[in-house]
Amino acid sequence: MLTERQNEILKLIVMSYIKLAHPVSSNLICDKLKCSSATVRNEMMTLEELGYLEKTHTSSGRIPSEKGYRYYVDHLMEVKELNGEEYQKLQIIFDNQQLELSDVITKSLQIVSDMTSYTTVILDEKSHENKLKEISVVPINESEMVVLIVTDKGYVEHKDLRLTGVSLDEVKNTVKLINDLVVGTPIDEVSSKLEFDIKPIIGKYVKQHEMIYNAFYNVFEDMSRKGNNINIVGKNNVFKHKEFNDIDKVQDIFEKFDDDEKMLSIKEDDQNNDISIYIGKENHLDDDVTVIKTNYKTDKDNGTIAIIGPKRMEYSRVVNLLDYIKKQIER
Amino acid sequence: MLTERQNEILKLIVMSYIKLAHPVSSNLICDKLKCSSATVRNEMMTLEELGYLEKTHTSSGRIPSEKGYRYYVDHLMEVKELNGEEYQKLQIIFDNQQLELSDVITKSLQIVSDMTSYTTVILDEKSHENKLKEISVVPINESEMVVLIVTDKGYVEHKDLRLTGVSLDEVKNTVKLINDLVVGTPIDEVSSKLEFDIKPIIGKYVKQHEMIYNAFYNVFEDMSRKGNNINIVGKNNVFKHKEFNDIDKVQDIFEKFDDDEKMLSIKEDDQNNDISIYIGKENHLDDDVTVIKTNYKTDKDNGTIAIIGPKRMEYSRVVNLLDYIKKQIER
DNA sequence: TATTAGCAATCAGATAAAAAGAGTGCTATT
DNA sequence: AATAGCACTCTTTTTATCTGATTGCTAATA
């Protein structure tokens, strides 16, 4: 357990380093504390031995270790209110009744990204809890048609179908069959339902049933596979941070942004309802970043929003922003 | 007019620089030419005076100037066949009858991007020549519905509508009215047609006409505005080129990728049907890149595909790839 | 016993000087 | 017209020197 003074010093060091991105010297601290730099140095040495601080070289000031950041986040960080500008800019988005939920989320995270210079991520899973509401077909010309699929949550998918030598009526019969028998089924169960409920009887109603059946089967297969959506906003903000002022590091991070599996892993850990913080090695994305994320749940949709920045992140500010956005989305 | 030998030397220098990214010395050239390095040096001096070559410093080898690249492209470049691997990988995409056109384009450019280490761009304009084919409405719950709009070219747009205190029948009447009177109108003219043809009479058929009318008007306004599509594939390839081995330059280019206006300008110049090459200052994107583009036109869609790389680009290869893809798309 | 003043030691970063290497431009020669 | 030869130029790499920030330790002090 750390003493009161050690807490104070660690907190000052973390805050100073977050702000200035420069190793913190004992002098800087003793100005703000009523004791000499030698005393601070002694305490810093203890804090380093305990693993909360690090040096960049033998005679440098101290920077927080990952353990140091973790301790700061868990015990020392103060909750700061959103400032007026942040609040206002976001509120304009949330008050706009015109916007669809997905637009609200994207736009609000765009704002956060612009204001904080961090990168934000939206991960949402569409098909999972969506049930088939209606399917319809619009013919485009003799051989082509568009299949439209709408779910009970208003999610829409469409697909071009090219079927040569098939009459439109046959297709419409199939659609009617599906609408009669399959509506209400969760999207990712539709294709198996097609197989067991529709396939056996489609021959009675539809002539070229095989070709048409396969086409629709594929459409639904595609749709349930397409569920995961990854939206990364403000990638270029990576350039703005001192710790990424190295072309190889930037490339490294950009390639991770493009790695869907890595990005989706953000969603995986901690399925709880809080805001989670993963500092450095604690996340599976990159040792040099911190990921702050939360899950949201609405009647339409659920997903994850996350903010990615350097470990030297404005933790308090980001946590507040994320918390506020989460609450507004769920409202 | 350049002599035969000057042509030969310029060509060798451009090709060597494209390959090795290193200023070309007289020695390197004279190995491949039956004359001494001193002779080559004399010719190089002439070529520099004429503006085809440049030096990076007083005693360095020569690199091609923009004028030099231009001359190479216009007069010296040899058409090279696609190699077997390139041809094969692309053909798999083009032979896949399942894929929609837009997928074919994206996937083939993804392949080009991977193979060449350049960045590719797809610019397509949807609404322009699309005519309204059918509009329909699917109710989701008491107050929400999804509007589906399909055009004669199979382009689909959908929008959530939240209308409180409006009966579904009223909405359906409006949709019927639009389907009867507006179908066949080009998308970007629909909203004005709504205003002049529908607005005056909608009151007769629909009770809460104002609210419903506005909702549909907005949907079409949005849709015609949304016409321009920008798809950039292989951004991270920027990191792979020596000339961009500088974090500020990379940032610069990435920010231009995100600048829609700048990217759309690629489409603007030269509306002809050929492959156009814009070297350095010739393009409006960035002085350090070359843009090679072509327009494509199909019965469904037309647009522009482009490849962006350093000025030191494998011109011949890229032109061939682009030409091949253009032809396959238009087939 | 906790704190502090004082000071040598350490090391990054900036600046300068020196050495090595690649390639040119010019002149004299073939 | 083409070439050989060589001094000259400029980049790149290496080495050396200096400066300034900051620490760790020791001894003195409260």
Side-chain angles (χ1 to χ4, degrees):
Chain A
M1 199 51 204
L2 299 185
T3 67
E4 196 48 49
R5 191 168 64 188
Q6 284 167 340
N7 275 331
E8 194 60 33
I9 289 175
L10 182 52
K11 184 172 163 187
L12 285 169
I13 289 176
V14 173
M15 286 170 66
S16 166
Y17 188 64
I18 286 175
K19 201 166 181 183
L20 304 171
H22 198 268
V24 185
S25 73
S26 53
N27 253 308
L28 200 83
I29 298 300
C30 80
D31 286 354
K32 301 179 186 172
L33 229 57
K34 41 199 166 308
C35 61
S36 77
S37 66
T39 312
V40 176
R41 273 204 292 287
N42 287 330
E43 294 286 36
M44 279 163 104
M45 225 182 313
T46 320
L47 286 168
E48 183 174 358
E49 275 159 20
L50 294 170
Y52 297 106
L53 294 179
E54 285 172 357
K55 287 191 283 196
T56 59
H57 62 270
T58 343
S59 68
S60 75
R62 300 301 204 295
I63 63 173
S65 67
E66 286 182 14
K67 186 174 172 190
Y69 283 121
R70 169 55 56 202
Y71 188 88
Y72 169 78
V73 161
D74 289 342
H75 302 110
L76 307 173
M77 184 171 74
E78 286 168 28
V79 178
K80 223 175 58 184
E81 290 293 302
L82 294 197
N83 74 42
E85 194 197 350
E86 290 171 341
Y87 180 80
Q88 267 187 319
K89 283 198 178 170
L90 286 173
Q91 208 53 43
I92 292 174
I93 304 299
F94 295 127
D95 287 346
N96 186 340
Q97 297 294 334
Q98 301 276 25
L99 294 172
E100 292 179 32
L101 180 67
S102 67
D103 290 335
V104 168
I105 298 176
T106 312
K107 283 185 192 244
S108 59
L109 286 189
Q110 177 73 61
I111 287 176
V112 170
S113 196
D114 288 348
M115 288 192 308
T116 61
S117 300
Y118 303 130
T119 304
T120 58
V121 182
I122 307 159
L123 303 168
D124 54 357
E125 207 172 332
K126 284 282 164 55
S127 71
H128 200 53
E129 293 190 350
N130 276 262
K131 290 172 186 151
L132 181 62
K133 180 85 185 184
E134 187 174 317
I135 171 169
S136 65
V137 165
V138 177
I140 298 300
N141 55 40
E142 307 79 43
S143 64
E144 276 180 272
M145 56 201 73
V146 175
V147 179
L148 298 161
I149 301 167
V150 184
T151 73
D152 61 337
K153 294 187 173 164
Y155 172 42
V156 177
E157 189 74 45
H158 64 92
K159 179 114 182 168
D160 276 25
L161 231 54
R162 216 168 309 140
L163 295 173
T164 38
V166 172
S167 88
L168 182 59
D169 283 342
E170 300 289 286
V171 177
K172 289 214 162 142
N173 283 341
T174 311
V175 169
K176 186 165 186 314
L177 218 54
I178 296 176
N179 271 327
D180 287 349
L181 297 175
V182 189
V183 158
T185 311
I187 286 299
D188 35 5
E189 294 168 24
V190 168
S191 44
S192 74
K193 192 144 186 177
L194 283 182
E195 183 157 3
F196 295 115
D197 293 1
I198 301 287
K199 198 176 186 181
I201 60 164
I202 190 174
K204 290 182 202 160
Y205 305 93
V206 182
K207 265 191 221 146
Q208 284 115 324
H209 51 88
E210 195 151 341
M211 196 172 179
I212 297 178
Y213 170 81
N214 282 332
F216 279 92
Y217 183 88
N218 287 332
V219 168
F220 282 104
E221 271 288 287
D222 281 4
M223 188 169 175
S224 68
R225 246 201 308 273
K226 219 193 270 180
N228 278 318
N229 219 326
I230 302 174
N231 191 354
I232 307 177
V233 181
K235 282 185 190 181
N236 288 352
N237 281 338
V238 172
F239 290 106
K240 295 192 179 149
H241 303 285
K242 187 174 168 289
E243 29 275 276
F244 306 136
N245 201 327
D246 167 71
I247 196 147
D248 292 328
K249 189 70 221 172
V250 175
Q251 177 172 14
D252 195 21
I253 293 180
F254 272 66
E255 269 159 17
K256 281 166 178 166
F257 283 159
D258 279 3
D259 181 343
D260 288 1
E261 207 178 324
K262 269 222 154 56
M263 293 308 289
L264 286 172
S265 77
I266 291 173
K267 189 166 57 178
E268 303 310 334
D269 3 50
D270 271 340
Q271 287 292 353
N272 65 39
N273 208 33
D274 296 336
I275 291 184
S276 314
I277 300 179
Y278 305 93
I279 300 162
K281 294 195 187 61
E282 293 171 5
N283 71 67
H284 304 122
L285 193 66
D286 188 290
D287 286 357
D288 294 324
V289 307
T290 281
V291 177
I292 304 188
K293 75 143 200 183
T294 190
N295 302 311
Y296 67 86
K297 199 168 269 185
T298 70
D299 51 339
K300 285 217 154 185
D301 201 353
N302 55 30
T304 300
I305 53 181
I307 301 187
I308 300 174
K311 286 189 285 190
R312 187 183 61 78
M313 213 191 211
E314 293 176 271
Y315 287 95
S316 151
R317 185 174 172 212
V318 168
V319 168
N320 275 303
L321 280 166
L322 212 55
D323 184 55
Y324 180 68
I325 290 175
K326 174 198 172 80
K327 279 180 186 143
Q328 292 294 318
I329 290 173
E330 294 187 339
R331 195 175 44 90
Chain B
M1 200 50 208
L2 299 186
T3 67
E4 197 47 48
R5 190 167 66 190
Q6 285 167 340
N7 275 332
E8 194 60 30
I9 290 175
L10 181 52
K11 184 173 164 186
L12 284 169
I13 290 175
V14 172
M15 286 171 65
S16 166
Y17 189 64
I18 286 176
K19 199 164 182 183
L20 306 171
H22 197 269
V24 185
S25 74
S26 52
N27 254 308
L28 201 81
I29 298 300
C30 80
D31 286 354
K32 301 180 186 171
L33 229 54
K34 42 199 164 307
C35 61
S36 77
S37 68
T39 312
V40 176
R41 275 203 292 285
N42 286 331
E43 295 285 36
M44 280 163 106
M45 227 187 302
T46 320
L47 286 168
E48 183 174 0
E49 276 159 20
L50 293 170
Y52 296 106
L53 294 179
E54 283 172 358
K55 285 191 283 196
T56 59
H57 64 270
T58 344
S59 67
S60 76
R62 300 300 203 297
I63 63 173
S65 66
E66 286 183 12
K67 187 176 171 188
Y69 283 121
R70 168 53 58 198
Y71 187 88
Y72 169 77
V73 162
D74 289 342
H75 302 110
L76 306 174
M77 185 171 76
E78 284 168 31
V79 178
K80 223 175 56 183
E81 290 294 302
L82 294 197
N83 73 42
E85 195 197 351
E86 290 170 342
Y87 178 82
Q88 266 188 321
K89 283 198 178 168
L90 286 172
Q91 208 53 42
I92 292 173
I93 304 299
F94 294 127
D95 287 346
N96 186 338
Q97 297 293 334
Q98 301 276 24
L99 295 172
E100 291 180 33
L101 181 66
S102 67
D103 291 334
V104 169
I105 298 175
T106 313
K107 286 191 188 232
S108 59
L109 286 189
Q110 177 73 61
I111 288 176
V112 169
S113 196
D114 288 349
M115 287 191 309
T116 61
S117 299
Y118 303 129
T119 305
T120 57
V121 182
I122 307 159
L123 304 168
D124 56 357
E125 208 172 332
K126 285 283 164 57
S127 71
H128 200 54
E129 294 191 349
N130 277 261
K131 291 173 185 151
L132 181 62
K133 180 86 185 184
E134 188 173 317
I135 172 169
S136 65
V137 165
V138 177
I140 298 301
N141 54 40
E142 307 79 42
S143 63
E144 275 180 274
M145 55 201 73
V146 175
V147 180
L148 298 161
I149 301 167
V150 184
T151 74
D152 62 337
K153 294 188 172 164
Y155 172 42
V156 177
E157 188 74 47
H158 65 94
K159 179 114 183 168
D160 276 26
L161 230 55
R162 217 169 306 140
L163 295 173
T164 36
V166 171
S167 87
L168 183 58
D169 284 342
E170 300 288 287
V171 176
K172 289 216 163 141
N173 284 341
T174 311
V175 169
K176 188 168 184 312
L177 218 53
I178 295 176
N179 271 327
D180 288 348
L181 297 175
V182 189
V183 159
T185 310
I187 287 300
D188 37 5
E189 293 167 25
V190 168
S191 44
S192 73
K193 191 144 186 174
L194 284 182
E195 183 157 5
F196 295 115
D197 294 0
I198 302 288
K199 198 176 188 183
I201 60 164
I202 191 175
K204 290 182 203 160
Y205 305 94
V206 182
K207 267 192 218 147
Q208 286 119 320
H209 50 88
E210 197 152 341
M211 195 170 179
I212 297 178
Y213 170 80
N214 281 334
F216 279 91
Y217 184 88
N218 287 334
V219 168
F220 281 104
E221 271 288 285
D222 281 4
M223 188 170 175
S224 69
R225 246 201 306 275
K226 219 193 268 179
N228 278 317
N229 220 324
I230 302 174
N231 192 354
I232 306 177
V233 181
K235 282 185 189 179
N236 288 353
N237 280 338
V238 171
F239 290 107
K240 295 191 180 150
H241 303 285
K242 187 176 167 285
E243 28 275 276
F244 307 136
N245 201 328
D246 168 71
I247 197 149
D248 292 327
K249 188 69 221 174
V250 175
Q251 178 172 13
D252 195 20
I253 293 179
F254 272 67
E255 269 158 16
K256 282 166 179 165
F257 284 160
D258 279 1
D259 181 342
D260 288 359
E261 208 178 321
K262 268 221 154 57
M263 293 308 288
L264 287 172
S265 77
I266 291 174
K267 190 166 55 178
E268 304 309 335
D269 3 51
D270 271 338
Q271 287 293 352
N272 66 40
N273 208 32
D274 295 337
I275 292 183
S276 313
I277 301 180
Y278 305 94
I279 301 162
K281 294 195 186 63
E282 294 171 2
N283 71 67
H284 304 121
L285 193 67
D286 188 289
D287 286 356
D288 294 325
V289 308
T290 281
V291 178
I292 303 187
K293 76 146 200 181
T294 190
N295 303 308
Y296 67 86
K297 198 167 271 184
T298 70
D299 51 337
K300 284 217 156 183
D301 200 354
N302 56 29
T304 299
I305 52 181
I307 301 187
I308 299 174
K311 287 190 283 189
R312 188 183 61 77
M313 210 189 212
E314 294 177 89
Y315 287 94
S316 152
R317 184 174 175 212
V318 168
V319 168
N320 276 304
L321 280 166
L322 213 53
D323 184 56
Y324 180 67
I325 290 175
K326 175 199 172 79
K327 280 180 185 145
Q328 293 293 319
I329 291 172
E330 295 188 338
R331 195 173 44 88

